[in-house]
Amino acid sequence: MRTPSILNLLFVDDDQLYAEHIVQLLGAYYDEVNLGFLDDKEELLKSLRQQWDVLVFGNAYDMSFTDVVGIIQERSIDLPTISLLGKTNPTASPQNSNTQHLPTVIDSTMVKSLYTDKDIPVLMAICLQHDSLRSRRQLKTLRHVLSEAEQRANILIKNSKSAVAYLDQGIHIFANDPYLKMFGFEAMDDVIGVPVIDLIAGTDNVKGFKQFLKQFDKGDRTQVEFNFDSLRVDGTTFKAKLQLATATLDAEPVTQIIIQQNSHNSAEIAKRLAVAERKDSLTGLNNRRGFEEQLLAIREQAIQGKAVAGLLYIQLDSIGKIRSSLGLQGVDITVQQVAKALGEIAPQDYISRFSDTSFALLTTSKSAQELIALAERIGVHISEMLIEVDNHTTHTTVSTGIVKIEQGAAEPQVLLERAIDAITHIMIETSNQGNTYHLYDPSEHANSDDNALAETLVDAIANNRFELLFQPIYDITNDRSDFYEVYLRLPLQDADNTVLTPDQFMTVAKAHRLREKIDRWVLINACKKISAVRKTHPEARLLVQLTSASLIDKNLPNVARQLINAVGGVSNVLTLQFNEKDIVDHLIIAKSQFSALSQASCQVGVHNFGSSTKSLEVANMIKPDTVRLAHTYVQDIDKADNFETLKALVTSTNQLNVEVLMPYIEDAATMSVAWSVGARYLQGYYLQEPKETIETTSPS
């Protein structure tokens, strides 16, 4: 299966329409283009916390291109950067090409002097720079893999019972202890620089080995073993079998020579080494490396919905006092005793010594309350311990940071950072009194941490923490307000009781592929509300705005049909509306989707109608039931030109047999002219603001 091509494009500019224009053109080259858009330094510094593929700079509020390049270079971020110079100026001289404060030195990851009205060079620069970046990232990954492989190989070789050495052009540059002992060398320095043929006895053996080595250097791998008589330093000889292999040492190519290798023995050594590398020698617990591997595995299980887990980061208090009074021995014994106690308190859990004076504990199938109870139990038990050090008695307490690991959990490194942040919170709030704990709640940090916001969204979907508001829409034709638009809100559990609107969290929802799930939650819960209302007011119906994720969801018509049947089966009970820009971006799919929804007895609408130059053509093609006018048409409606423009759009839309909804009626002046534009529906705070309950009384 082909891996989808995705471009994460960061635009620093004050012209969002141009950025979206470029994104639309890039759609021909990528399966998905994720756009980040900003125009000031503070937002740039925040955005650079996540990974981008290409940065395009046009014009910023408080930065020049030089400033942007400096910020990127200071942080050692590999981010190709492209500068735009506005439209082509045929009268400009070459000497003025640096008038935009561009750096005088441009490296291979920066492109300057591209004009905004020349789309092809801009697109080529973005695509080529992204391709070059991917190559660098792949090379970095391969180098890391090679370095890790070399490190593992060297550990095996140094601890192997087989005799192993490295050669460079037939000269020894490294040998392990069994190799040195086999040939009678006392130290590594004695063998370095010695030609390998000096260790081969007999003229015929030397000639044969030279030919063997020559064929190997030419790439012939049909023969990698050579039987010969070996010559020790003291002149004695012995029969041996030599094997050659290509290898690297300090990232440089070398030839590996192995004598009497026991592959089974090497495998056993590798296994024992792998275990030893993950063990802490002082406590016998797993060390940080072992813990991080286990955290990765548990997090993967949580992501797949197979486990609910928790991380406890346990920091020993008063270590400074113990060290000053009892020395390092006192610290070591304290660490050992705490490690033993943790094993007794939580024998079924995964415990590791994370650093010198901290432990990390992973536990599964525990709720937040159970994690807190475990932290309390650990804190009380350790605070009551008496620790003996050379006839002296000491004690300690612990501070514990708690992090839940659930579906939608952040990356392992982020989870660790949160646990440590929880410890910091304890120190600030309790003046480091010790023996306390703090549970990290992502919703408290959702305003400043995208990962925390994503987890808050997952939690809101799973535990119904979203809120819905309903705003009546006045129907001029029938003189009533039984049509309700649904608005989504996300309350945060922070100190300010913040409530987020979709424009504040949908970008993160898109990045974490949560929009479709959020849309589904809104549909289901809004229909539950209207179903209850329709028992006493059977004319009540809904207008629900969905994202582009639902617009391209082939299963949406079936979901709509089921919900309509659940609330009474009336064809006009549910209207789904989509943003005009999303429809234009997916026009062929939208036409098919609108047709399928209509066949499912679901009405369809267009939100932000009139925002493009081809709004009427689009409406004629997709044939919606209603359109909701863009805000710009309602602004300054008291001016004659604006009023006539609005009235002409409404008239043309009505001629397509499409009902028009005029929103944003916020004052009496707007209301006074709204009746005469020809729209069927009126909506706004002047009529009634959105509320948590569906009010069925009509305005007077």
Side-chain angles (χ1 to χ4, degrees), residues 3 68-69 144 174 191 201 239 257 265 282 286 297 326 328 348 358 379 456 512 531 538 542 562 568 616 636 644:
T3 302
V68 173
V69 172
H144 178 72
F174 170 84
V191 75
K239 297 287 185 180
I257 179 173
N265 187 48
L282 179 65
N286 289 285
L326 300 174
L328 291 177
Q348 304 301 318
S358 67
T456 302
H512 290 78
S531 179
L542 289 176
Q562 293 175 358
L616 291 171
D636 301 324
E644 291 302 324

Side-chain angles (χ1 to χ4, degrees), residues 228-229 457 665:
F228 67 105
D229 290 333
L457 291 172
I665 300 175

Side-chain angles (χ1 to χ4, degrees), residues 25 28 212 237 251 276 282 353 371 407 467 491 503 521 580 603:
L25 294 177
F212 168 69
T237 62
L282 179 65
R353 185 187 180 195
L371 291 173
Q407 238 179 330
E467 290 182 355
D503 61 299
W521 187 96
E580 183 178 84
Q603 293 202 338

Side-chain angles (χ1 to χ4, degrees), residues 173-190:
I173 57 174
F174 170 84
N176 67 357
D177 287 342
Y179 192 95
L180 298 176
K181 292 178 181 178
M182 179 179 289
F183 290 97
F185 293 103
E186 294 183 0
M188 175 86 72
D189 291 342
D190 296 333

Side-chain angles (χ1 to χ4, degrees), residues 155-156 159-162 261-276:
I155 291 173
L156 283 172
N159 293 276
S160 174
K161 292 183 179 179
S162 296
Q261 182 188 30
N262 188 325
S263 59
H264 173 74
N265 187 48
S266 295
E268 287 297 319
I269 291 173
K271 186 176 180 179
R272 291 197 300 271
L273 283 174
V275 172

Side-chain angles (χ1 to χ4, degrees), residues 233-262:
V233 174
D234 62 6
T236 60
T237 62
F238 62 94
K239 297 287 185 180
K241 181 174 70 175
L242 174 151
Q243 294 176 321
L244 292 184
T246 57
T248 59
L249 183 65
D250 296 330
E252 295 295 330
V254 295
T255 301
Q256 184 185 74
I257 179 173
I258 307 169
I259 298 179
Q260 295 181 343
Q261 182 188 30
N262 188 325

Side-chain angles (χ1 to χ4, degrees), residues 55 94 122 193 222 234 264 292 340 372 398 442 530 539 588 693 697:
L55 184 150
V122 174
T222 57
D234 62 6
H264 173 74
E292 289 177 342
K340 181 180 178 182
I372 289 172
V398 295
I530 204 69
E539 299 300 322
I588 302 302
T693 58
T697 56

Side-chain angles (χ1 to χ4, degrees), residues 3 14 88 98-99 123 148 200 208 215 272 290 297 299 302 330 455 457 506 514 570 594 603 629 658 669 680 684:
T3 302
D14 54 8
T88 310
N98 203 32
T99 57
L123 294 177
E148 290 289 316
I200 299 176
Q215 292 298 115
R272 291 197 300 271
R299 187 250 182 189
E455 291 182 51
L457 291 172
M506 275 303 180
L514 296 173
V570 183
F594 274 37
Q603 293 202 338
L629 296 174
V658 178
R680 175 174 175 176

